[in-house]
């Protein structure tokens, strides 16, 4: 049920204005409010949940297994059980309602409130925030919790506006749904969103046409129904589980790469390790060995195991060549794998057609379908699973201007500059969570919300205690962090894929590694900075 907007704090000056009511924004609200900061949240959606509010397309479900994808507060997990190992979107929405009921968050959130601009007044030392519908707020600190996928990417297909039937990007899906039953459905894109919607559409559509540009390297989800009693019993170990989650290298407590190289074990042992991770499902197979993402030969062995498993699922050899090619389309894992349940099986169904748009490009979208070089694919419904302007897009679509008056969009046009992904030179008192140059895409959302979020909460408390009013990343620290990001890219195979990790999915976007690969090392950098008086930031 959509909530009506809470009173907007037009009077007085807030300590903190938070943009976004997803995992990070809600954590900040709860923790800062507990410490008596005057905090308010502006949220574009009509309910809490961030990405989980918007992504209500059929099949949307989380790729992190229970109980990784939730807050570690015992008052929340003690009274919550999940029905599936990888919960679906509706259950996640229910979880957020539970969080809201327990922590009473909504009273400090303005819903349906999209921030359009935010300018720092250097004389006053205050952020002036404006919303699309003309409301305003003033705050000492601005915490941007917009997530990595707040700006959808819709390619400029000629004639897209002429399509006569329902046409939606997966992240703009109508809350009351789109009926696909018995209709001719087209899906453009085979990323994580595409895979999920394709699985569902194949069950309901009279005809499903999948437009694939790059094959997805999808891993077996190994979904399971969960038993409430067993989950309740496991809660005895939850405190330890969540500590391990904080210290893990991807924010998933029980996933760890084998510490050896794939090349230093015998072929038999390697196969056994691959198989064990495959059977465990989910992201266990993403980084099977310590060098999967850094050593080409190790990476290729992983791909070859995946390919053999996947091709065995597809009866038609020509289709198998399209879905799991002999040569990898890019190094394994360097584009974000998705998790699948029956994805590879649907292509053997009579009602499903795969169009390889590299061979048969999309020329236009017409009123009745998608026109490719080979002909018109007639459709009633068109799904755009074409991804996001990830990392930066959610921030730069807001007119954020720092003390010099320059916009974040302009400042980052030729590459992101930040320290630790949290602070930006010339943008005092702007703190960014789960954004570019943080681990973000390589970090489980709730874990990052808590670990990176704790750093920000501690920092604000430190500033208040020390009577400090202003924090700003130094240009030197930001240059150093930029070089550090480049060295991570150079040491890995990541930059060889045209992925959203590299900004390479958006025409004209500066190509660079957008996310810090290596969570533990990142957290060490954050801890060192804090231990040294927030080194890399100037505090005054
Ligand atoms: O987006 P994507 P997504 N013509 O960018 C294709 C998270 N997520 O929304 O690969 C034709 O991965 C594009 O092709 P190519 C998760 O982190 C999580 O699926 O660029 N095709 C690609 O196939 C995920 O990784 C969950 O060649 C075009 C697709 O569109 C991230 O969000 C669920 C095209 C875009 O895939 C983004 O996933 C869903 C064009 N002009 C999402 N332009 C869960 O946790 C783009 N494509 C469950």
């Amino acid at each position: 049920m959509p909530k009506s907007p809470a009173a907007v704090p037009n009077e007085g000056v807030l300590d903190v204005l938070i943009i976004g009511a997803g995992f990070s924004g809600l954590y900040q609200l709860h923790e800062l409010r507990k410490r008596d900061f005057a905090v308010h949240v502006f949220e574009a959606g009509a309910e809490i949940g961030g990405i989980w509010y918007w992504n209500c397309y059929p099949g949307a479900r989380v790729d992190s297994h229970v109980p990784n994808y939730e807050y570690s507060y015992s008052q929340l997990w003690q009274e919550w059980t999940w029905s599936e190992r990888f919960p679906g979107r509706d259950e996640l929405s229910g979880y957020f309602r539970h969080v809201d009921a327990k922590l009473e968050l909504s009273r400090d959130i303005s819903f349906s409130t999209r921030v359009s601009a935010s300018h720092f007044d250097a004389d006053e030392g205050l952020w002036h925030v404006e919303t699309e519908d003309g409301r305003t707020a003033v705050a000492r600190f601005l915490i941007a919790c917009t997530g990595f996928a707040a700006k959808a990417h819709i390619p400029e297909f000629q004639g897209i506006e002429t399509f006569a039937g329902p046409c939606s990007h997966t992240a703009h899906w109508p809350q009351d749904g789109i009926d696909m039953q018995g209709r001719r459905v087209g899906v453009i894109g085979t990323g994580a969103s595409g895979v999920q919607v394709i699985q569902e559409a194949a069950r309901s559509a009279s005809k499903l046409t999948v437009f694939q540009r790059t094959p997805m390297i999808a891993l077996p989800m190994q979904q399971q129904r969960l038993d409430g009693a067993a989950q309740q019993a496991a809660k005895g170990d939850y405190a330890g589980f969540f500590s391990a989650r904080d210290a893990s290298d991807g924010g998933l407590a029980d996933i760890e790469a084998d510490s050896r190289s794939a090349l230093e074990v015998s072929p038999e042992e390697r196969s056994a390790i691959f198989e064990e991770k495959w059977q465990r499902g989910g992201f266990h197979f993403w980084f099977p060995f310590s060098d999967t993402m850094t050593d080409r030969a190790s990476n290729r062995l992983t791909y070859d195991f995946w390919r053999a498993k996947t091709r065995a699922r597809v009866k038609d050899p020509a289709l198998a060549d399209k879905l799991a090619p002999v040569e990898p389309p890019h190094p394994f894992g360097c584009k974000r794998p998705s998790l699948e349940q029956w994805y590879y099986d649907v292509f053997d169904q009579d009602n499903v057609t795969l169009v390889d748009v590299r061979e048969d490009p999309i020329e236009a979208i017409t009123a009745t379908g998608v026109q490719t070089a080979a002909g018109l694919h007639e459709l009633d419904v068109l799904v755009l699973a074409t991804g996001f302007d990830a990392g930066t897009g959610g921030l730069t679509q807001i007119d954020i201007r720092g003390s010099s008056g320059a916009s974040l969009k302009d400042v980052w046009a030729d590459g992101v500059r930040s320290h630790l992904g949290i602070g930006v030179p010339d943008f005092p008192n702007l703190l960014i969570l789960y954004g570019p140059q943080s681990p973000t895409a390589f970090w489980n959302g709730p874990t990052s919300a808590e670990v990176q979020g704790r750093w920000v909460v501690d920092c604000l408390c430190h500033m208040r205690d020390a009577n400090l009013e202003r924090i700003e990343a130094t240009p030197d620290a930001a240059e150093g962090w930029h070089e550090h990001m480049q060295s991570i890219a150079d040491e890995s195979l990541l930059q060889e894929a045209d992925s959203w990790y590299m900004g390479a999915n958006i025409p004209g976007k500066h190509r660079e590694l957008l996310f810090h690969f290596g969570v533990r090392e990142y957290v060490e950098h954050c801890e060192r900075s804090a231990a040294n008086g927030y080194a890399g930031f100037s505090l005054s």
Side-chain angles (χ1 to χ4, degrees), residues 57 61 63 189-193 196 213-214 335-336 385 387-388 500:
Y57 58 84
R61 81 177 47 254
D63 281 350
T190 54
S193 308
Q196 294 187 330
R213 189 164 67 180
T214 305
K335 273 188 163 185
R336 203 288 211 156
F388 299 91
W500 56 264

Side-chain angles (χ1 to χ4, degrees), residues 218-220 222 271-272 274-279 285 301-314 324 340 344-345:
L219 309 178
Q222 312 288 20
S271 289
F274 279 150
E275 185 65 31
E276 188 261 335
K277 292 184 182 292
W278 190 266
Q279 293 307 333
F285 195 79
L301 288 165
T302 316
Y303 180 80
D304 289 350
F305 184 93
W306 171 85
R307 186 190 57 194
K309 285 278 194 191
T310 304
R311 289 178 76 97
R313 299 259 301 278
V314 184
E340 61 87 27
Y344 292 109
D345 310 317

Side-chain angles (χ1 to χ4, degrees), residues 33 81 198 332 363 404 409 495 538:
R33 208 171 58 178
T81 49
I198 287 163
F332 179 90
E363 291 183 339
S404 71
K409 185 175 177 190
Q495 54 190 350
S538 80

Side-chain angles (χ1 to χ4, degrees), residues 72-92:
S72 66
Y73 300 120
S74 62
Q75 84 239 54
L76 294 177
W77 53 253
Q78 264 159 3
E79 292 177 34
W80 183 261
T81 49
W82 300 97
S83 68
E84 291 177 301
R85 184 175 181 230
F86 294 92
R89 184 263 177 185
D90 289 348
E91 195 164 16
L92 285 154

Side-chain angles (χ1 to χ4, degrees), residues 52 55 57 60-64 148-149 153 155 157 169-170 188-194 196 211-214 216 335-337 357-358 362 385-388 441 498 500-501 505:
W52 295 106
N55 284 268
Y57 58 84
R61 81 177 47 254
V62 71
D63 281 350
S64 301
F148 75 88
H153 169 55
F157 294 120
H169 188 280
T170 44
I188 303 178
T190 54
S193 308
Q196 294 187 330
F211 299 89
Q212 170 188 285
R213 189 164 67 180
T214 305
M216 164 51 76
K335 273 188 163 185
R336 203 288 211 156
V357 302
R358 287 192 199 272
I362 296 174
T386 44
F388 299 91
D498 291 334
W500 56 264
Y501 297 155
N505 64 326

Side-chain angles (χ1 to χ4, degrees), residues 192-386:
S193 308
V195 165
Q196 294 187 330
V197 83
I198 287 163
Q199 291 183 136
E200 297 304 319
R203 291 181 153 183
S204 56
S206 60
K207 179 162 174 40
L208 170 64
T209 309
V210 175
F211 299 89
Q212 170 188 285
R213 189 164 67 180
T214 305
M216 164 51 76
I217 298 181
L219 309 178
M221 177 175 271
Q222 312 288 20
Q223 175 68 299
Q224 285 166 21
R225 297 293 303 172
L226 292 180
D227 172 54
Q231 241 174 111
Q232 213 52 43
K235 288 182 183 176
D237 294 329
Y238 267 24
F241 182 92
F242 288 120
S243 304
R245 187 180 75 164
D246 280 3
S248 67
D249 210 11
L252 300 167
D254 47 350
I255 293 192
E256 184 114 42
D258 190 289
S259 59
R260 295 165 294 175
S261 161
L263 308 172
E264 71 181 78
V265 296
S266 69
E268 295 73 25
E269 191 179 0
R270 187 164 57 231
S271 289
I273 290 168
F274 279 150
E275 185 65 31
E276 188 261 335
K277 292 184 182 292
W278 190 266
Q279 293 307 333
R280 291 184 76 186
F283 288 143
H284 281 92
F285 195 79
W286 189 353
F287 312 108
F289 287 93
S290 64
D291 59 350
T292 308
M293 301 293 276
T294 50
D295 184 279
R296 196 171 305 284
S298 166
N299 188 280
R300 180 62 196 248
L301 288 165
T302 316
Y303 180 80
D304 289 350
F305 184 93
W306 171 85
R307 186 190 57 194
K309 285 278 194 191
T310 304
R311 289 178 76 97
R313 299 259 301 278
V314 184
K315 290 196 196 95
D316 176 348
L319 262 177
D321 280 343
K322 296 283 177 212
L323 292 165
V326 174
E327 289 303 314
H330 46 77
F332 179 90
C334 291
K335 273 188 163 185
R336 203 288 211 156
S338 85
L339 303 188
E340 61 87 27
Q341 298 178 81
W342 56 88
Y343 179 67
Y344 292 109
D345 310 317
V346 309
F347 293 96
D348 283 324
Q349 291 177 205
D350 293 339
N351 66 331
V352 180
T353 303
L354 182 73
V355 177
D356 176 347
V357 302
R358 287 192 199 272
E359 274 178 5
D360 181 14
I362 296 174
E363 291 183 339
I365 294 176
T366 71
T368 53
V370 172
Q371 177 76 47
T372 64
L376 178 68
H377 299 270
E378 289 192 287
L379 302 170
D380 303 310
V381 175
L382 179 57
V383 182
L384 304 171
T386 44

Side-chain angles (χ1 to χ4, degrees), residues 418-423 432 436-439 452 455 477 481 522 525-526 529 535 537:
S418 79
H419 187 46
L420 303 174
I422 296 176
I432 300 171
Q437 297 195 334
S438 296
Q452 195 185 35
W455 190 96
W481 195 247
Y522 173 80
H525 277 282
C526 290
S529 164
F537 296 87

